[in-house]
Amino acid sequence: MSRHDAGKPEQPAREAWLGEQGSRPRRRRVVLADSTKSRGKALRTIIELEEQTSVGEKLVRDLIRQQLKSAFGLAFAVLIGMCLLPITFYLVPQIADLKILGIPIPWLVLGLAPFPVLYGVGWVFRRQAERHERDFVNMVDR
């Protein structure tokens, strides 16, 4: 016995001590049948996006186009709504005579109303942007 073997049990004693644990069954790899088929197309799409191939560029361009379309649509709606307020006050001057707490209604509407409206439009845009991105990811994962 060498000095490196000191403190180690002898081979037969070790096997007796391990008992059943010494002869473990061989490990098996379990693979689901569905995941390899569906993952192949998604992996190919992800690679096309990362390598910026023509297909990947088109997918990203379509996502950007959707985002811009919703952004410009909401911006147009806000612009029309905000431009109609002064026109309404000009065409209906009786509104200027109404006052709340001594402040004319046009001042209140033009000074306070845009903030909640713009907050709401921002919230709607964020929801639309998240939906577009979620649809894009779902399309890539298919």
Side-chain angles (χ1 to χ4, degrees), residues 18-32:
L18 287 175
E20 294 283 324
Q21 293 178 349
S23 58
R24 292 183 182 171
R26 196 167 177 203
R27 291 179 71 185
R28 297 170 119 186
R29 184 176 177 193
V30 178
V31 179
L32 296 175

Side-chain angles (χ1 to χ4, degrees), residues 94-100 103-106:
Q94 293 84 6
I95 295 176
D97 296 336
L98 300 174
K99 295 183 180 189
I100 295 179
I103 302 171
I105 293 226

Side-chain angles (χ1 to χ4, degrees), residues 8 25 50 67 69 85 90 98 101-102 105 129 136 139 142:
K8 290 185 181 177
E50 288 176 352
Q67 300 283 28
K69 185 178 176 182
L85 286 174
Y90 179 76
L98 300 174
L101 298 173
I105 293 226
F136 177 77
M139 189 252 326
R142 273 192 281 154

